[in-house]
Amino acid sequence: MKIFDAHCDVLMKLFLDPNISFLDSEKLQITYQSLQETSGNVQCFAIYVPEAVHPDMRFIAALSMVDIFYEKVLTMPGMKLVTAQKDIEALKEEEIGAVLTLEGCDCIGGDLLKLKTLLRLGVTSVGLTWNFANRLADGAMEKRAGGLTGFGKNVVKTLNQHHIWCDVSHLSEKAFWDVIELADYPIASHSNVHRLCRHPRNLKDDQIKALLKKNGVVGVTFVPQFLTEKPVANISDVIKQIDYIANLGGGRQIGFGSDFDGNDQMVQNISSYRDYSNLINELHKHYPADFIQGILFDNFAARFPKNKKVSSPLFVT
Ligand SMILES: [Zn+2]
């Protein structure tokens, strides 16, 4: 079955260690070979600039990751850049869709031109913060717990204009509500249910309901600390997340954002992309096939931005 995975950190690993091969490295949880084993998959590749990078160098680091995406990911046979829904529909058998996303806007500082440059380079989904504060908003782990700044609001409006997903994963609760009010295309690429696991990265019931009302999708993530308060997470904890969101009325708005390559600890029996097969086997014990196809692929794919609005003759789609 085809998989739409809304979040991974492969680009960060390739950035930090140029010797890692995207083809088949054992240091990666998602490789070209593992993506290729099922046809028609769509994988989101996040630009995440590590905190250790000096603020003055973060935009250069983000551009380096864009370069890695084009040079090391998109050059693989059958890998296709996806920037609009029509690109997903056009994927042939054997082809894999690759979506470029941004996790945290620290790299743009307070400069909208830098954001627009990244959009022009193909970024189709933008998370405003990582865990801490930046010029746009506070992240989920920032003690101040503030909302969107004036600049953050301008960024959300820019994303609306360009038909870009605004990713609420990692935002503080207050910033989440500010985004919900403003954003036309909100999603949560990799967030779980707070009621099932009380972590600040997770979404409370009213947040999930608000996201569903805005036609968003919740990408259930395989990070053990966001799945359960028990020391070990297993596949049944992933199923509980799906059941819970479905019971809130989101059965057609659940997807997956694995966070592969962004996290050392993994769920038992889901330690790499290939282990989606273990999850799928378990899903078949609980849900009908069309529901499974929805959460694995269709729910995110159906809401993928339809087309980017051209803002100037220079805007490259
Ligand atoms: Zn993340």
Side-chain angles (χ1 to χ4, degrees), residues 48-273:
Y48 168 72
V49 179
E51 291 268 281
V53 176
H54 187 279
D56 291 350
M57 296 303 293
R58 286 182 187 165
F59 188 62
I60 299 293
L63 292 180
S64 299
M65 280 185 238
V66 174
D67 190 54
I68 288 166
F69 176 73
Y70 279 89
E71 296 289 333
K72 294 192 172 174
V73 175
L74 281 179
T75 49
M76 293 291 182
M79 290 292 297
K80 295 283 172 192
L81 175 66
V82 167
T83 62
Q85 201 178 70
K86 63 175 170 41
D87 301 327
I88 298 177
E89 288 159 9
L91 286 175
K92 299 192 193 95
E93 254 184 76
E94 316 294 329
E95 289 182 337
I96 303 157
V99 179
L100 188 58
T101 70
L102 179 61
E103 181 175 33
C105 286
D106 303 52
C107 64
I108 67 166
D111 187 349
L112 214 47
L113 183 61
K114 286 181 177 161
L115 175 76
K116 287 165 79 179
T117 301
L118 292 174
L119 302 185
R120 289 181 172 118
L121 290 169
V123 167
T124 313
S125 176
V126 172
L128 305 186
T129 66
W130 190 60
N131 284 338
F132 305 107
N134 61 21
R135 297 282 288 272
L136 290 76
D138 284 359
M141 309 291 277
E142 184 68 46
K143 288 271 180 290
R144 178 176 59 178
L148 281 179
T149 62
F151 177 65
K153 287 177 184 166
N154 286 339
V155 165
V156 176
K157 286 176 196 160
T158 304
L159 300 180
N160 289 344
Q161 278 165 11
H162 295 299
H163 295 206
I164 300 291
W165 269 342
C166 185
D167 185 354
V168 301
S169 291
H170 284 283
L171 281 178
S172 74
E173 208 173 327
K174 185 160 190 328
F176 169 95
W177 287 109
D178 290 346
V179 165
I180 281 294
E181 203 173 305
L182 270 185
D184 290 340
Y185 310 101
I187 59 153
S189 66
H190 58 308
S191 291
N192 289 339
V193 175
H194 191 271
R195 190 74 191 270
L196 296 173
C197 176
R198 289 162 297 173
H199 191 287
R201 273 278 285 105
N202 285 344
L203 298 170
K204 293 180 177 163
D205 287 10
D206 55 350
Q207 292 179 290
I208 295 169
K209 284 182 195 160
L211 193 57
L212 299 177
K213 211 170 158 190
K214 292 279 283 205
N215 198 30
V217 183
V218 182
V220 170
T221 190
F222 307 149
V223 179
Q225 308 93 285
F226 307 160
L227 279 167
T228 176
E229 292 167 27
K230 295 176 299 181
V232 179
N234 50 43
I235 289 180
S236 69
D237 293 305
V238 177
I239 305 283
K240 279 181 200 158
Q241 302 284 331
I242 296 165
D243 280 345
Y244 195 93
I245 301 166
N247 282 334
L248 290 179
R252 293 281 159 200
Q253 289 165 268
I254 305 166
F256 290 114
S258 64
D259 208 11
F260 282 135
D261 293 304
N263 194 29
D264 292 336
Q265 292 172 334
M266 294 310 295
V267 179
Q268 268 188 340
N269 299 320
I270 314 183
S271 55
S272 73
Y273 192 83

Side-chain angles (χ1 to χ4, degrees), residues 288-306:
D290 68 323
F291 182 86
I292 297 169
Q293 193 177 319
I295 53 180
L296 276 176
F297 191 86
D298 292 350
N299 297 343
F300 266 125
R303 289 170 182 84
F304 200 80
K306 288 218 165 32

